[in-house]
Amino acid sequence: MSRQEKIVKTSIIGIVVNLILVAFKAVVGILTNSIAITLDAVNNLTDALSSIITIIGTKLASKAPDKNHPYGYGRIEYFSSVIIAAIVLWAGITAFMESWPKIFNPDVTNYTTVSLIIIAVAVVVKFVLGQYVKRVGEDINSQALVASGSDAFFDAILSLSTLIAAIISIFFHISLEGILGVIISIVIIKASIDMLRETLDSMIGARVDSELSRKIKDSICELPGVYGAYDLSLHNYGPEDMQGSVHVEIDDKLTALEIHNLTRQIAVKIYKEFSIILTVGIYAHNDKYSEVRDDLYNIAGKYEEVLEIHGFIVYEEQKLITFDIIVDFDADREAVKEKILKEIKSKHPEFNYVMIDDYDVSD
């Protein structure tokens, strides 16, 4: 089964289950005059709508690349996640506005044994559904499914709290409907904001996952002739389409054909292991001026703000040395670089130096 088919199948299951729960909870909420149960039914309805949007977004995102969109339509999945988050946020705000007055003017509720059993069953169903949807979403890297699964899990917890409030109302004659409704709405609002933030991070371009970055670099360095992998940059064009670039340090005596062969091996290896398309650039490695390079590394090592130095190249005829430096975003970058440059110049004044400012986009 393809990724698209799994998303559609899981979403349809979610739609069917949620619509059944909507029907049962709406009836129970009306018969018992319970605002909490009625709001829970509305929340299940938004869950069903979210699953429908997930299916539509998945179908649109699977369209093949064309002349106007050469990178495909994969990012449409992120737009569908934003719409889902907005729907959930709207449901949470509406629930809050309905529940707040009930704290001061509670309604009289009339719970029955049947209504309590239905709520208890709903707790179990939503918990199982949430775990299932979230697991599938994580397996196939679908933010929309993960969000839906998490939302269903929260629904189970909230329905459980509704059940507890009902039992308290029966035995102690204390109405917690308004308070519970407010709590439900706040949890829904927070979940929607978290969902929105995560999706927008993916759309804007979030930092490369540290573990993924390390695995890719380690994989590249496994190939003979690679001294190091640097400047990894990844661009997300959808959950299934990631492209990027990397620089590798190799011996400066390699021929163009040997370099071509090695970079092709790297690109093929990374695509097979991670399904990522990489463009490979090179840094020349030469041990002739290893003393200068070691001095530079030792000087930079005295500053905690310096995360990495790479791309050390010596141009003999011009008496020029260039290198890339990565300084922590939170540091006084210019001051740190100026100190390093001043110290290496005093130690090896026969060279001119060009320090290329690099950025910490991956670990």
Side-chain angles (χ1 to χ4, degrees), residues 231-249:
D231 304 331
L232 177 64
S233 177
L234 298 177
H235 307 284
N236 196 330
Y237 294 98
E240 286 192 295
D241 187 2
M242 188 174 287
Q243 302 181 28
S245 61
V246 69
H247 279 95
V248 295
E249 189 174 359

Side-chain angles (χ1 to χ4, degrees), residues 169-303:
S169 176
I170 292 171
F171 289 99
F172 299 99
H173 305 289
I174 300 174
S175 177
L176 299 177
E177 295 295 316
I179 296 174
L180 186 58
V182 169
I183 294 174
I184 290 174
S185 63
I186 292 174
V187 173
I188 293 172
I189 290 171
K190 183 184 182 301
S192 66
I193 292 174
D194 290 342
M195 189 192 312
L196 190 60
R197 184 186 300 114
E198 181 180 352
T199 305
L200 289 177
D201 279 345
S202 297
M203 295 174 69
I204 294 170
R207 182 184 183 84
V208 177
D209 179 70
S210 298
E211 185 177 357
L212 175 62
S213 173
R214 179 184 55 78
K215 287 181 178 179
I216 292 174
K217 290 178 180 179
D218 288 346
S219 177
I220 292 172
C221 291
E222 290 173 358
L223 289 172
V226 177
Y227 292 97
Y230 311 99
D231 304 331
L232 177 64
S233 177
L234 298 177
H235 307 284
N236 196 330
Y237 294 98
E240 286 192 295
D241 187 2
M242 188 174 287
Q243 302 181 28
S245 61
V246 69
H247 279 95
V248 295
E249 189 174 359
I250 59 176
D251 197 295
D252 66 351
K253 296 182 178 61
L254 293 180
T255 66
L257 182 60
E258 290 170 330
I259 293 172
H260 176 84
N261 182 49
L262 179 57
T263 55
R264 180 60 60 87
Q265 288 182 54
I266 293 171
V268 171
K269 188 174 191 289
I270 297 304
Y271 185 77
K272 285 183 176 179
E273 294 179 8
F274 302 95
S275 298
I276 295 174
I277 299 173
L278 274 188
T279 299
V280 184
I282 62 169
Y283 287 131
H285 178 87
N286 190 314
D287 287 326
K288 184 176 181 180
Y289 293 94
S290 59
E291 180 183 350
V292 182
R293 183 181 64 224
D294 292 343
D295 287 340
L296 174 63
Y297 286 3
N298 290 332
I299 292 170
K302 295 187 295 185
Y303 298 90

Side-chain angles (χ1 to χ4, degrees), residues 4 26 31 84 141 156 176 180 221-222 249 262 284 302 304-305 315 337 356:
Q4 178 183 337
L31 293 178
I84 291 171
N141 189 25
L176 299 177
L180 186 58
C221 291
E222 290 173 358
E249 189 174 359
L262 179 57
K302 295 187 295 185
E304 294 181 356
E305 302 93 332
Y315 300 93
K337 291 187 292 181
I356 301 171

Side-chain angles (χ1 to χ4, degrees), residues 103-162:
I103 295 178
F104 309 101
N105 298 294
D107 292 328
V108 178
T109 54
N110 300 292
Y111 293 105
T112 64
T113 303
V114 175
S115 65
L116 295 179
I117 292 174
I118 291 175
I119 297 172
V121 171
V123 171
V124 177
V125 171
K126 288 295 285 186
F127 178 80
V128 174
L129 177 66
Q131 293 296 96
Y132 168 71
V133 173
K134 186 175 182 180
R135 186 179 69 252
V136 174
E138 290 173 343
D139 289 342
I140 61 178
N141 189 25
S142 170
Q143 286 186 351
L145 284 184
V146 171
S148 295
S150 299
D151 191 28
F153 175 77
F154 283 128
D155 286 348
I157 300 299
L158 296 172
S159 295
L160 179 61
S161 64
T162 303

